[in-house]
Coordinates of all heavy atoms in Angstrom, one line a residue:
M194 N 43.9 -19.3 -8.1 CA 43.5 -18.1 -7.3 C 42.0 -18.0 -7.1 O 41.5 -17.8 -6.0 CB 44.0 -16.8 -8.0 CG 44.0 -15.6 -7.0 SD 44.7 -14.2 -7.8 CE 44.0 -12.9 -6.8
G195 N 41.3 -18.2 -8.2 CA 39.8 -18.1 -8.1 C 39.2 -19.4 -7.6 O 38.0 -19.5 -7.4
E196 N 40.0 -20.5 -7.5 CA 39.4 -21.8 -7.1 C 38.9 -21.8 -5.7 O 37.8 -22.4 -5.5 CB 40.5 -22.9 -7.3 CG 40.6 -23.4 -8.7 CD 41.7 -24.5 -8.8 OE1 41.9 -25.1 -7.8 OE2 42.3 -24.7 -9.9
A197 N 39.6 -21.2 -4.8 CA 39.1 -21.2 -3.4 C 37.7 -20.4 -3.3 O 36.8 -20.9 -2.6 CB 40.1 -20.5 -2.5
E198 N 37.6 -19.4 -4.1 CA 36.4 -18.6 -4.0 C 35.2 -19.4 -4.6 O 34.1 -19.5 -4.1 CB 36.5 -17.3 -4.8 CG 37.3 -16.2 -4.1 CD 37.4 -15.0 -4.9 OE1 36.5 -14.7 -5.7 OE2 38.4 -14.3 -4.8
R199 N 35.5 -20.1 -5.7 CA 34.5 -20.9 -6.4 C 34.1 -22.1 -5.6 O 32.9 -22.5 -5.6 CB 35.0 -21.3 -7.8 CG 33.9 -21.5 -8.8 CD 34.5 -21.9 -10.1 NE 35.2 -20.8 -10.8 CZ 35.9 -21.0 -11.9 NH1 36.1 -22.2 -12.4 NH2 36.5 -20.0 -12.5
G200 N 35.0 -22.7 -4.9 CA 34.7 -23.9 -4.1 C 33.8 -23.6 -2.9 O 33.0 -24.4 -2.6
E201 N 33.9 -22.4 -2.4 CA 33.0 -22.1 -1.2 C 31.7 -21.6 -1.7 O 31.6 -20.7 -2.5 CB 33.7 -21.0 -0.3 CG 34.8 -21.6 0.5 CD 35.4 -20.4 1.3 OE1 34.7 -19.5 1.6 OE2 36.6 -20.5 1.6
S202 N 30.6 -22.3 -1.3 CA 29.3 -21.8 -1.7 C 29.0 -20.6 -0.8 O 29.3 -20.5 0.4 CB 28.3 -22.9 -1.4 OG 28.2 -23.2 -0.1
A203 N 28.5 -19.6 -1.5 CA 28.2 -18.3 -0.8 C 27.2 -18.6 0.3 O 26.2 -19.2 0.1 CB 27.6 -17.3 -1.8
P204 N 27.6 -18.2 1.5 CA 26.6 -18.4 2.6 C 25.4 -17.5 2.5 O 25.5 -16.4 2.1 CB 27.5 -18.0 3.9 CG 28.5 -17.0 3.3 CD 28.8 -17.5 1.9
R205 N 24.3 -18.1 2.8 CA 23.0 -17.3 2.7 C 22.6 -17.1 4.2 O 22.6 -17.9 5.0 CB 22.0 -18.1 2.0 CG 22.4 -18.3 0.5 CD 21.2 -18.9 -0.3 NE 20.2 -17.9 -0.6 CZ 20.3 -17.0 -1.6 NH1 21.3 -16.9 -2.3 NH2 19.3 -16.1 -1.8
I206 N 22.1 -15.9 4.3 CA 21.6 -15.5 5.7 C 20.1 -15.2 5.6 O 19.6 -14.7 4.6 CB 22.4 -14.3 6.2 CG1 22.4 -13.2 5.2 CG2 23.8 -14.7 6.6 CD1 23.0 -11.9 5.8
R207 N 19.4 -15.5 6.6 CA 18.0 -15.2 6.7 C 17.8 -14.0 7.6 O 18.3 -14.0 8.7 CB 17.2 -16.4 7.3 CG 17.0 -17.5 6.2 CD 16.1 -18.6 6.8 NE 15.7 -19.5 5.7 CZ 14.6 -19.3 5.0 NH1 13.9 -18.2 5.2 NH2 14.3 -20.1 4.0
I208 N 17.0 -13.1 7.1 CA 16.7 -11.9 7.9 C 15.2 -11.9 8.1 O 14.4 -12.1 7.2 CB 17.1 -10.6 7.1 CG1 18.6 -10.7 6.7 CG2 16.8 -9.4 7.9 CD1 19.6 -10.5 7.8
S209 N 14.8 -11.6 9.3 CA 13.4 -11.5 9.6 C 12.9 -10.1 9.4 O 13.5 -9.2 9.8 CB 13.1 -12.0 11.1 OG 13.3 -13.4 11.2
F210 N 11.7 -10.0 8.8 CA 11.1 -8.7 8.6 C 9.7 -8.9 9.2 O 9.0 -9.9 9.1 CB 11.0 -8.4 7.2 CG 12.3 -8.0 6.5 CD1 13.1 -9.0 6.0 CD2 12.7 -6.7 6.5 CE1 14.3 -8.7 5.4 CE2 13.9 -6.4 5.9 CZ 14.7 -7.4 5.3
W211 N 9.2 -7.8 9.8 CA 7.8 -7.8 10.4 C 7.0 -6.7 9.8 O 7.5 -5.5 9.7 CB 7.8 -7.7 11.9 CG 8.3 -8.9 12.6 CD1 7.6 -10.0 13.0 CD2 9.7 -9.2 13.0 NE1 8.4 -10.9 13.6 CE2 9.7 -10.5 13.6 CE3 10.9 -8.5 12.8 CZ2 10.8 -11.0 14.1 CZ3 12.0 -9.1 13.3 CH2 12.0 -10.4 13.9
C212 N 5.8 -7.0 9.4 CA 4.9 -5.9 8.9 C 4.1 -5.4 10.0 O 4.1 -6.0 11.1 CB 4.1 -6.4 7.7 SG 2.7 -7.4 8.2
S213 N 3.3 -4.4 9.8 CA 2.5 -3.8 10.8 C 1.3 -4.7 11.2 O 0.7 -4.4 12.2 CB 2.0 -2.4 10.4 OG 1.2 -2.5 9.2
N214 N 1.1 -5.7 10.5 CA 0.0 -6.7 10.9 C 0.6 -7.8 11.7 O -0.1 -8.8 12.0 CB -0.6 -7.3 9.6 CG -1.6 -6.3 9.0 OD1 -2.2 -5.5 9.7 ND2 -1.8 -6.4 7.7
G215 N 1.9 -7.8 12.0 CA 2.6 -8.8 12.8 C 3.0 -10.0 12.0 O 3.4 -11.0 12.6
H216 N 2.9 -10.0 10.7 CA 3.4 -11.1 9.9 C 4.9 -11.1 9.9 O 5.5 -10.1 9.7 CB 2.9 -11.0 8.5 CG 1.4 -11.0 8.4 ND1 0.7 -10.2 7.5 CD2 0.4 -11.7 9.1 CE1 -0.6 -10.4 7.6 NE2 -0.8 -11.3 8.6
E217 N 5.5 -12.3 10.0 CA 6.9 -12.4 9.9 C 7.3 -13.1 8.6 O 6.7 -14.1 8.2 CB 7.5 -13.2 11.1 CG 9.0 -13.3 11.1 CD 9.5 -14.2 12.2 OE1 8.7 -14.7 13.0 OE2 10.8 -14.3 12.3
T218 N 8.2 -12.5 7.9 CA 8.7 -13.2 6.7 C 10.3 -13.2 6.8 O 10.9 -12.3 7.4 CB 8.3 -12.4 5.4 OG1 8.8 -13.1 4.3 CG2 8.8 -11.0 5.4
Q219 N 10.8 -14.3 6.3 CA 12.3 -14.5 6.4 C 12.9 -14.8 5.1 O 13.2 -15.9 4.8 CB 12.6 -15.7 7.4 CG 12.3 -15.4 8.8 CD 12.8 -16.5 9.7 OE1 12.5 -17.7 9.5 NE2 13.5 -16.1 10.8
P220 N 13.0 -13.7 4.3 CA 13.8 -13.9 3.0 C 15.2 -14.2 3.3 O 15.8 -13.8 4.3 CB 13.6 -12.6 2.3 CG 13.3 -11.6 3.3 CD 12.6 -12.3 4.5
S221 N 15.9 -15.0 2.4 CA 17.3 -15.3 2.6 C 18.1 -14.5 1.6 O 17.6 -14.2 0.5 CB 17.6 -16.8 2.5 OG 17.2 -17.2 1.2
F222 N 19.2 -14.0 2.0 CA 20.1 -13.2 1.2 C 21.5 -13.8 1.1 O 21.9 -14.5 2.0 CB 20.2 -11.8 1.8 CG 18.9 -11.1 1.9 CD1 18.1 -11.1 3.0 CD2 18.5 -10.3 0.8 CE1 16.9 -10.5 3.1 CE2 17.3 -9.6 0.9 CZ 16.5 -9.7 2.1
A223 N 22.1 -13.6 0.0 CA 23.5 -14.0 -0.1 C 24.3 -13.2 0.9 O 23.9 -12.1 1.3 CB 24.0 -13.7 -1.5
G224 N 25.3 -13.8 1.5 CA 26.1 -13.2 2.5 C 26.6 -11.8 2.2 O 26.7 -11.0 3.1
D225 N 26.9 -11.6 0.9 CA 27.5 -10.3 0.5 C 26.4 -9.4 0.0 O 26.7 -8.3 -0.5 CB 28.6 -10.5 -0.5 CG 28.2 -11.2 -1.7 OD1 27.0 -11.7 -1.7 OD2 28.9 -11.3 -2.7
A226 N 25.2 -9.8 0.0 CA 24.1 -9.0 -0.6 C 23.8 -7.8 0.4 O 24.0 -7.9 1.6 CB 22.8 -9.8 -0.8
Q227 N 23.3 -6.8 -0.2 CA 22.9 -5.7 0.6 C 21.5 -5.9 1.1 O 20.6 -6.2 0.4 CB 22.9 -4.4 -0.2 CG 23.2 -3.2 0.6 CD 23.4 -1.9 -0.2 OE1 23.2 -1.9 -1.4 NE2 23.7 -0.8 0.4
I228 N 21.3 -5.9 2.4 CA 20.0 -6.1 3.0 C 19.2 -4.9 3.0 O 19.6 -3.8 3.5 CB 20.2 -6.6 4.5 CG1 21.2 -7.7 4.6 CG2 18.8 -7.0 5.1 CD1 20.9 -8.9 3.8
P229 N 18.0 -5.0 2.4 CA 17.1 -3.8 2.3 C 16.5 -3.4 3.6 O 16.4 -4.2 4.5 CB 16.0 -4.2 1.3 CG 16.0 -5.7 1.4 CD 17.4 -6.1 1.7
D230 N 16.2 -2.2 3.8 CA 15.5 -1.7 5.1 C 14.1 -2.3 5.2 O 13.7 -2.5 6.3 CB 15.5 -0.2 5.1 CG 16.9 0.4 5.3 OD1 17.8 -0.3 5.9 OD2 17.1 1.5 4.9
T231 N 13.4 -2.4 4.1 CA 12.1 -2.9 4.2 C 11.9 -4.0 3.1 O 12.6 -4.1 2.2 CB 11.0 -1.8 3.8 OG1 11.3 -1.2 2.6 CG2 11.1 -0.7 4.9
W232 N 10.9 -4.8 3.4 CA 10.6 -6.0 2.5 C 9.1 -6.1 2.4 O 8.4 -5.9 3.4 CB 11.2 -7.2 3.2 CG 11.1 -8.4 2.3 CD1 10.2 -9.4 2.3 CD2 12.1 -8.8 1.3 NE1 10.5 -10.3 1.4 CE2 11.6 -10.0 0.7 CE3 13.2 -8.2 0.8 CZ2 12.3 -10.6 -0.3 CZ3 13.9 -8.8 -0.2 CH2 13.5 -10.0 -0.7
D233 N 8.6 -6.3 1.2 CA 7.1 -6.4 1.1 C 6.6 -7.7 1.7 O 7.1 -8.7 1.4 CB 6.7 -6.4 -0.4 CG 6.8 -5.0 -1.0 OD1 6.9 -4.0 -0.2 OD2 6.8 -4.8 -2.2
C234 N 5.7 -7.5 2.6 CA 5.1 -8.7 3.3 C 4.4 -9.6 2.2 O 3.5 -9.1 1.5 CB 4.1 -8.3 4.4 SG 3.2 -9.7 5.1
P235 N 4.7 -10.8 2.1 CA 4.1 -11.7 1.1 C 2.6 -12.0 1.4 O 1.9 -12.5 0.6 CB 5.0 -12.9 1.1 CG 5.6 -13.0 2.4 CD 5.8 -11.6 2.9
R236 N 2.2 -11.8 2.7 CA 0.9 -12.2 3.1 C -0.1 -11.0 2.9 O -1.3 -11.3 2.5 CB 0.9 -12.6 4.5 CG 1.6 -14.0 4.7 CD 1.7 -14.3 6.1 NE 0.5 -14.6 6.8 CZ 0.4 -15.0 8.1 NH1 1.4 -15.1 8.8 NH2 -0.8 -15.2 8.6
C237 N 0.3 -9.8 3.1 CA -0.6 -8.7 3.0 C -0.1 -7.6 2.1 O -0.9 -6.6 1.8 CB -1.0 -8.2 4.4 SG 0.3 -7.4 5.3
G238 N 1.1 -7.6 1.7 CA 1.6 -6.6 0.8 C 2.1 -5.4 1.5 O 2.6 -4.5 0.8
F239 N 2.0 -5.3 2.8 CA 2.5 -4.1 3.5 C 4.0 -4.2 3.6 O 4.6 -5.2 3.6 CB 1.9 -4.1 5.0 CG 0.5 -3.7 5.0 CD1 -0.3 -3.6 3.9 CD2 -0.1 -3.4 6.3 CE1 -1.7 -3.2 4.0 CE2 -1.4 -3.0 6.4 CZ -2.2 -2.9 5.2
P240 N 4.6 -3.0 3.7 CA 6.0 -3.0 3.9 C 6.4 -3.6 5.3 O 5.7 -3.3 6.3 CB 6.4 -1.5 3.8 CG 5.2 -0.8 4.1 CD 4.0 -1.6 3.6
A241 N 7.4 -4.4 5.3 CA 7.9 -5.0 6.6 C 9.3 -4.5 6.9 O 10.1 -4.3 6.0 CB 7.8 -6.5 6.5
G242 N 9.5 -4.3 8.1 CA 10.9 -3.8 8.6 C 11.6 -4.8 9.5 O 11.0 -5.8 9.9
K243 N 12.8 -4.5 9.7 CA 13.6 -5.5 10.5 C 13.4 -5.3 12.0 O 13.7 -6.1 12.8 CB 15.1 -5.3 10.2 CG 15.5 -5.9 8.9 CD 16.9 -5.6 8.5 CE 17.1 -4.2 8.0 NZ 18.4 -3.9 7.5
D244 N 12.8 -4.1 12.4 CA 12.5 -3.9 13.8 C 11.1 -4.4 14.1 O 10.1 -3.8 13.7 CB 12.6 -2.4 14.1 CG 12.5 -2.1 15.6 OD1 12.1 -3.0 16.4 OD2 12.7 -0.9 16.0
R245 N 11.1 -5.5 14.9 CA 9.8 -6.1 15.2 C 8.8 -5.2 15.9 O 7.6 -5.2 15.7 CB 10.0 -7.4 16.0 CG 8.8 -8.2 16.3 CD 9.1 -9.4 17.1 NE 8.1 -10.4 17.0 CZ 8.3 -11.7 17.3 NH1 9.5 -12.1 17.7 NH2 7.3 -12.6 17.2
D246 N 9.4 -4.4 16.8 CA 8.5 -3.5 17.7 C 8.1 -2.2 17.0 O 7.3 -1.5 17.5 CB 9.2 -3.2 19.0 CG 9.5 -4.5 19.8 OD1 8.6 -5.3 19.8 OD2 10.5 -4.6 20.4
N247 N 8.8 -2.0 15.8 CA 8.5 -0.7 15.2 C 8.4 -0.9 13.7 O 9.3 -0.5 12.9 CB 9.6 0.3 15.5 CG 9.3 1.7 15.1 OD1 8.1 2.0 14.9 ND2 10.3 2.5 14.9
P248 N 7.4 -1.7 13.2 CA 7.3 -1.9 11.8 C 6.9 -0.7 11.0 O 6.4 0.3 11.6 CB 6.1 -3.0 11.7 CG 5.3 -2.7 12.9 CD 6.3 -2.2 14.0
P249 N 7.2 -0.6 9.7 CA 6.9 0.5 8.9 C 5.4 0.7 8.8 O 4.6 -0.2 8.9 CB 7.5 0.3 7.6 CG 7.9 -1.2 7.6 CD 8.0 -1.7 9.0
D250 N 5.0 2.0 8.6 CA 3.6 2.3 8.5 C 3.0 1.6 7.2 O 3.7 1.6 6.2 CB 3.4 3.8 8.4 CG 3.6 4.5 9.7 OD1 3.4 3.8 10.8 OD2 4.1 5.6 9.7
P251 N 1.8 1.2 7.3 CA 1.2 0.6 6.1 C 0.9 1.7 5.1 O 0.8 2.9 5.5 CB -0.1 0.0 6.6 CG -0.4 0.7 7.9 CD 0.9 1.1 8.5
P252 N 0.9 1.4 3.8 CA 0.6 2.4 2.8 C -0.7 3.1 3.1 O -1.7 2.5 3.4 CB 0.6 1.6 1.5 CG 0.4 0.2 1.9 CD 1.0 0.0 3.2
R253 N -0.7 4.4 3.0 CA -1.9 5.2 3.3 C -2.8 5.3 2.1 O -2.4 5.8 1.1 CB -1.6 6.5 3.8 CG -0.8 6.4 5.1 CD -0.6 7.8 5.7 NE 0.1 7.7 7.0 CZ 0.3 8.8 7.8 NH1 -0.2 9.9 7.5 NH2 0.9 8.6 9.0
T254 N -4.0 4.8 2.3 CA -5.0 4.9 1.2 C -6.1 5.8 1.5 O -6.9 6.1 0.6 CB -5.6 3.5 0.9 OG1 -6.1 2.9 2.1 CG2 -4.5 2.5 0.3
E255 N -6.2 6.3 2.7 CA -7.3 7.1 3.1 C -7.4 8.4 2.4 O -8.5 8.8 2.0 CB -7.3 7.3 4.7 CG -8.0 6.2 5.4 CD -8.0 6.5 6.9 OE1 -8.4 7.6 7.3 OE2 -7.6 5.6 7.7
P256 N -6.3 9.2 2.2 CA -6.4 10.4 1.5 C -7.0 10.2 0.1 O -7.8 11.0 -0.3 CB -5.0 10.9 1.4 CG -4.3 10.3 2.6 CD -5.0 8.9 2.7
Y257 N -6.6 9.2 -0.5 CA -7.1 8.9 -1.9 C -8.6 8.6 -1.8 O -9.4 9.2 -2.6 CB -6.4 7.7 -2.5 CG -6.8 7.3 -3.8 CD1 -6.5 8.1 -4.9 CD2 -7.6 6.2 -4.0 CE1 -7.0 7.8 -6.2 CE2 -8.1 5.9 -5.3 CZ -7.7 6.7 -6.4 OH -8.2 6.3 -7.6
K258 N -9.0 7.8 -0.9 CA -10.4 7.5 -0.8 C -11.2 8.8 -0.4 O -12.3 9.0 -1.0 CB -10.7 6.5 0.3 CG -10.4 5.1 -0.1 CD -10.6 4.1 1.1 CE -10.2 2.7 0.7 NZ -10.2 1.8 1.8
T259 N -10.7 9.6 0.5 CA -11.4 10.8 0.9 C -11.5 11.7 -0.3 O -12.6 12.3 -0.6 CB -10.6 11.5 2.0 OG1 -10.5 10.6 3.1 CG2 -11.4 12.7 2.5
H260 N -10.5 11.8 -1.1 CA -10.5 12.6 -2.3 C -11.6 12.1 -3.3 O -12.3 12.9 -3.8 CB -9.1 12.7 -2.9 CG -9.1 13.5 -4.2 ND1 -9.2 14.8 -4.2 CD2 -9.0 13.1 -5.5 CE1 -9.2 15.3 -5.5 NE2 -9.0 14.2 -6.3
L261 N -11.5 10.8 -3.4 CA -12.5 10.2 -4.4 C -13.9 10.5 -3.9 O -14.8 10.8 -4.7 CB -12.2 8.7 -4.5 CG -12.8 8.0 -5.7 CD1 -12.0 8.5 -6.9 CD2 -12.6 6.5 -5.5
A262 N -14.1 10.3 -2.6 CA -15.5 10.5 -2.0 C -15.9 11.9 -2.2 O -17.0 12.2 -2.5 CB -15.5 10.1 -0.6
Y263 N -14.9 12.8 -2.1 CA -15.2 14.3 -2.2 C -15.6 14.6 -3.7 O -16.6 15.3 -3.9 CB -13.9 15.0 -1.9 CG -14.0 16.5 -2.0 CD1 -14.8 17.3 -1.2 CD2 -13.2 17.2 -3.0 CE1 -14.9 18.6 -1.3 CE2 -13.3 18.5 -3.1 CZ -14.2 19.3 -2.3 OH -14.2 20.6 -2.4
V264 N -14.9 14.0 -4.6 CA -15.2 14.2 -6.0 C -16.6 13.6 -6.3 O -17.4 14.3 -7.0 CB -14.1 13.5 -6.9 CG1 -14.6 13.5 -8.4 CG2 -12.8 14.2 -6.8
R265 N -16.9 12.4 -5.8 CA -18.2 11.8 -6.1 C -19.3 12.7 -5.5 O -20.3 12.9 -6.0 CB -18.2 10.4 -5.4 CG -17.6 9.4 -6.3 CD -17.8 8.0 -5.7 NE -17.1 7.0 -6.5 CZ -16.6 5.9 -6.0 NH1 -16.7 5.6 -4.7 NH2 -16.0 5.0 -6.8
E266 N -19.0 13.2 -4.3 CA -20.0 14.0 -3.6 C -20.3 15.2 -4.4 O -21.5 15.6 -4.6 CB -19.4 14.4 -2.2 CG -20.5 14.8 -1.2 CD -19.9 14.9 0.2 OE1 -19.5 13.9 0.7 OE2 -19.8 16.1 0.6
R267 N -19.3 15.9 -4.9 CA -19.4 17.1 -5.7 C -20.2 16.7 -7.0 O -21.1 17.5 -7.4 CB -18.1 17.6 -6.1 CG -17.5 18.5 -5.0 CD -16.2 19.1 -5.5 NE -16.4 20.0 -6.6 CZ -15.4 20.6 -7.3 NH1 -14.2 20.4 -7.0 NH2 -15.7 21.4 -8.2
R268 N -19.8 15.6 -7.6 CA -20.5 15.2 -8.9 C -22.0 15.0 -8.6 O -22.8 15.4 -9.4 CB -19.8 14.0 -9.4 CG -20.3 13.7 -10.8 CD -19.6 12.5 -11.4 NE -18.2 12.7 -11.6 CZ -17.3 11.8 -11.9 NH1 -17.6 10.6 -11.9 NH2 -16.0 12.1 -12.1
T269 N -22.2 14.3 -7.5 CA -23.6 14.0 -7.1 C -24.4 15.3 -6.9 O -25.5 15.4 -7.4 CB -23.7 13.1 -5.9 OG1 -22.9 12.0 -6.1 CG2 -25.1 12.7 -5.6
D270 N -23.8 16.2 -6.2 CA -24.4 17.5 -6.0 C -24.7 18.2 -7.3 O -25.8 18.7 -7.5 CB -23.5 18.4 -5.1 CG -23.6 18.0 -3.7 OD1 -24.5 17.2 -3.4 OD2 -22.9 18.6 -2.9
A271 N -23.8 18.2 -8.2 CA -24.0 18.9 -9.5 C -25.1 18.2 -10.3 O -25.9 18.8 -10.8 CB -22.7 18.8 -10.3
D272 N -25.1 16.9 -10.3 CA -26.1 16.1 -11.0 C -27.5 16.4 -10.3 O -28.4 16.6 -11.0 CB -25.8 14.6 -10.9 CG -24.7 14.2 -11.8 OD1 -24.2 15.1 -12.6 OD2 -24.2 13.1 -11.7
G273 N -27.5 16.4 -9.0 CA -28.7 16.7 -8.3 C -29.3 18.0 -8.7 O -30.5 18.2 -8.9
E274 N -28.4 19.0 -8.7 CA -28.9 20.4 -9.1 C -29.4 20.4 -10.5 O -30.4 21.0 -10.8 CB -27.7 21.4 -9.0 CG -27.6 21.9 -7.6 CD -26.4 22.9 -7.5 OE1 -26.3 23.7 -8.4 OE2 -25.7 22.9 -6.5
A275 N -28.7 19.8 -11.4 CA -29.2 19.7 -12.8 C -30.5 19.0 -12.9 O -31.4 19.5 -13.6 CB -28.1 19.0 -13.7
I276 N -30.6 17.9 -12.2 CA -31.9 17.2 -12.3 C -33.0 18.0 -11.7 O -34.1 18.1 -12.2 CB -31.8 15.8 -11.5 CG1 -30.9 14.9 -12.3 CG2 -33.1 15.2 -11.3 CD1 -30.3 13.7 -11.5
L277 N -32.7 18.7 -10.6 CA -33.7 19.6 -9.9 C -34.1 20.7 -10.8 O -35.3 21.0 -11.0 CB -33.1 20.1 -8.6 CG -34.1 20.8 -7.7 CD1 -35.1 19.9 -7.1 CD2 -33.3 21.5 -6.6
A278 N -33.1 21.3 -11.5 CA -33.4 22.5 -12.4 C -34.3 22.0 -13.5 O -35.2 22.7 -13.9 CB -32.1 23.0 -12.9
E279 N -33.9 20.8 -14.1 CA -34.7 20.3 -15.2 C -36.1 20.0 -14.7 O -37.1 20.3 -15.5 CB -34.0 19.0 -15.7 CG -34.4 18.6 -17.1 CD -33.7 17.4 -17.5 OE1 -32.4 17.3 -17.4 OE2 -34.3 16.4 -18.0
A280 N -36.2 19.4 -13.6 CA -37.5 19.0 -13.1 C -38.4 20.3 -12.8 O -39.6 20.3 -13.2 CB -37.4 18.2 -11.7
L281 N -37.8 21.3 -12.3 CA -38.5 22.6 -12.1 C -38.9 23.2 -13.4 O -40.0 23.7 -13.5 CB -37.6 23.6 -11.3 CG -37.5 23.3 -9.8 CD1 -36.4 24.2 -9.2 CD2 -38.8 23.5 -9.1
A282 N -38.0 23.1 -14.4 CA -38.4 23.7 -15.7 C -39.6 23.0 -16.3 O -40.5 23.6 -16.9 CB -37.2 23.6 -16.6
K283 N -39.5 21.7 -16.2 CA -40.6 20.9 -16.7 C -41.9 21.2 -16.0 O -43.0 21.3 -16.6 CB -40.3 19.4 -16.6 CG -39.5 18.8 -17.7 CD -39.4 17.3 -17.5 CE -38.4 16.7 -18.6 NZ -38.2 15.3 -18.3
L284 N -41.7 21.3 -14.7 CA -42.9 21.6 -13.9 C -43.5 22.9 -14.3 O -44.7 23.0 -14.4 CB -42.5 21.6 -12.4 CG -43.6 21.4 -11.4 CD1 -44.1 20.0 -11.5 CD2 -43.0 21.6 -10.0
R285 N -42.6 23.9 -14.4 CA -43.1 25.3 -14.8 C -43.8 25.3 -16.2 O -44.7 25.9 -16.4 CB -42.0 26.2 -14.8 CG -41.6 26.6 -13.3 CD -40.5 27.7 -13.3 NE -40.0 27.9 -12.0 CZ -38.7 28.0 -11.7 NH1 -37.8 27.9 -12.6 NH2 -38.3 28.2 -10.4
G286 N -43.1 24.5 -17.1 CA -43.6 24.4 -18.4 C -45.0 23.8 -18.5 O -45.9 24.2 -19.3
E287 N -45.2 22.8 -17.7 CA -46.4 22.0 -17.7 C -47.6 22.8 -17.1 O -48.7 22.7 -17.5 CB -46.2 20.7 -17.1 CG -45.5 19.7 -18.0 CD -45.2 18.4 -17.2 OE1 -45.7 18.2 -16.2 OE2 -44.4 17.7 -17.8
I288 N -47.2 23.5 -16.0 CA -48.3 24.2 -15.3 C -48.8 25.4 -16.1 O -48.0 26.2 -16.6 CB -47.8 24.6 -13.9 CG1 -47.7 23.3 -13.1 CG2 -48.8 25.6 -13.2 CD1 -47.0 23.6 -11.7
Ligands
LIG551 ZN1 1.8 -8.7 6.5

């Protein structure tokens, strides 16, 4: 009963995925495997989708960068104020 199943090699199918950079990747899946909606592009790491004309959005890093820049800006301001206050105190003390 199981011999027929064992004798047939599982057919593999290739599915094309496209990332937003236009890279095409063709991972192969077993015929009975569940095909994922997205696939990580091996060339740029962006998510790739099966719809060539409508690839998934690349991961957004801008909010993180903006937040980081904002924190740095605040820190710089705080440091600048402290340095200015210290400089003024020294200046007043010396004069
Ligand atoms: Zn890519």
Side-chain angles (χ1 to χ4, degrees):
M194 193 176 159
E196 277 181 24
E198 282 178 32
R199 210 180 284 173
E201 285 178 29
S202 59
R205 295 188 76 81
I206 50 171
R207 281 186 167 273
I208 306 288
S209 289
F210 291 87
W211 288 271
C212 77
S213 57
N214 283 329
H216 302 141
E217 182 182 4
T218 181
Q219 287 187 314
S221 62
F222 299 92
D225 58 351
Q227 208 173 4
I228 310 301
D230 289 334
T231 58
W232 189 262
D233 284 344
C234 173
R236 289 173 67 180
C237 67
F239 283 12
K243 285 176 279 186
D244 187 350
R245 183 179 201 161
D246 297 323
N247 191 21
D250 289 331
R253 295 186 178 190
T254 54
E255 273 184 48
Y257 179 71
K258 280 180 185 169
T259 303
H260 177 70
L261 199 69
Y263 178 67
V264 170
R265 277 188 185 149
E266 203 170 288
R267 279 185 62 188
R268 189 177 292 169
T269 304
D270 280 354
D272 286 350
E274 272 180 43
I276 289 164
L277 189 68
E279 200 181 309
L281 282 171
K283 274 186 186 173
L284 200 66
R285 283 182 188 136
E287 281 175 14
I288 289 170

